[in-house]
Amino acid sequence: MNDAPRPEVLRFSAFTTDPAGGNPAGVVLDATGLDDARMLEIAADLGYSETAFVLPRAGERDFDVRYFSPLVEVPFCGHATVATAVALERPGTLRFHTKAGLVEIATAPGTATLTSVPTSSTPTPEADVVEALRALRWSADDLDPRYPAHWAFGGARHLVLAVRDRERLASLDYEFDALGDLLRANDALTAQLVHQRSEDVFDARDPFPVGGVVEDPATGAAAAAFGGYLRTIGAVTRPRTITIHQGDDMGRPSVLEIEVSPHDPRVTVTGGAVPIPDQG
């Protein structure tokens, strides 16, 4: 165990206006002097799906930001980005230099809009689909044929699968190790499992076994990847604003709003963030 003083870790819930909803994130506003092992230790102790570690740069609006789950460092995390931007309390445009690339965030009190790195998406090989269905305990008939399976990238890689029936999503019960192995073998972080509620509204669930987390209540990086996926499959012929409801089946409702254009590979993701009250 590292005996160095523990830095202050702020706790915010993102993609919500209620601290009982959304996805909790840890935020360390000054991680100067912390090495990789210490950051991972802090993230593991906190136990949230991600903790963001901020390293100030010379300019007051530029920051190096790193993200750690309880098990691994991840290149980018959307909900921790929104939480960090709100925690910094600097309205205007911020620039986060992440391992995935430069992410700009437009901030206002209590809310933030991140612009992702360029997204990309490729069809999932049939063998991977078979493995995913086995891990999810689903059948091919459960899938929505309008939305082919893809590996999608929006700062991190995610498996996109769409189901016909909302109840199939609600009853999610998957094999943790099997899905984690498939995601790791494809350098992916989560499975973005979706159901289309209406034209521009989707429900989503995001298993995150790679990070040691059964499920994320809100996943901004996956939302960005999903926007890029929709563009790739030809579902974005005009600028679209899409609302994603996530976390409902976990009792932590979250709302993510994405904007996608047929002319820009980047995707914006908007959400609120609120401090989590101290329970001590």
Side-chain angles (χ1 to χ4, degrees), residues 11-25 27 77-88 105-114 217-220 223 243-244 246 252-258 268-276:
R11 301 181 306 140
F12 276 74
S13 199
F15 296 112
T16 184
T17 57
D18 179 356
N23 196 359
V27 179
C77 171
H79 85 276
T81 292
V82 168
T84 301
V86 170
L88 283 166
I105 308 101
T107 67
T111 188
T113 297
L114 68 88
T219 316
T243 300
I244 298 173
Q246 192 179 332
R252 295 196 66 91
S254 308
V255 179
L256 304 85
E257 186 175 276
I258 63 173
T268 67
V269 183
T270 299
V274 290
I276 298 173

Side-chain angles (χ1 to χ4, degrees), residues 22-95:
N23 196 359
V27 179
V28 176
L29 290 180
D30 188 355
T32 303
L34 298 181
D35 61 16
D36 293 12
R38 184 67 171 133
M39 292 184 200
L40 183 60
E41 179 186 309
I42 291 168
D45 286 347
L46 187 60
Y48 292 161
S49 56
E50 273 96 6
T51 298
F53 295 86
V54 181
L55 296 159
R57 287 191 167 205
E60 63 177 25
R61 294 192 169 273
D62 282 83
F63 304 88
D64 289 311
V65 184
R66 297 177 67 181
Y67 309 91
F68 283 79
S69 77
L71 292 184
V72 295
E73 182 176 11
V74 301
F76 177 68
C77 171
H79 85 276
T81 292
V82 168
T84 301
V86 170
L88 283 166
E89 297 184 334
R90 299 186 187 188
T93 299
L94 304 175
R95 290 172 293 274

Side-chain angles (χ1 to χ4, degrees), residues 95-141:
R95 290 172 293 274
F96 287 3
H97 301 264
T98 77
K99 289 201 168 184
L102 175 64
V103 176
E104 292 192 340
I105 308 101
T107 67
T111 188
T113 297
L114 68 88
T115 299
S116 76
V117 298
T119 60
S120 60
S121 187
T122 56
T124 305
E126 183 61 26
D128 289 346
V129 176
V130 170
E131 287 300 315
L133 292 175
R134 183 179 295 120
L136 293 165
R137 301 188 177 99
W138 290 354
S139 74
D141 289 341

Side-chain angles (χ1 to χ4, degrees), residues 151 157-159 178-191 207-210:
W151 291 109
R157 207 165 185 233
H158 307 267
L159 173 64
L179 185 59
D181 289 344
L182 174 64
L183 295 172
R184 278 186 290 270
N186 288 275
D187 195 27
L189 291 184
T190 79
F208 184 29
V210 172

Side-chain angles (χ1 to χ4, degrees), residues 150 228-238 240 262:
H150 269 224
Y229 159 82
L230 292 175
R231 182 177 182 272
T232 296
I233 67 171
V236 182
T237 57
R238 55 173 174 78
R240 288 181 69 182

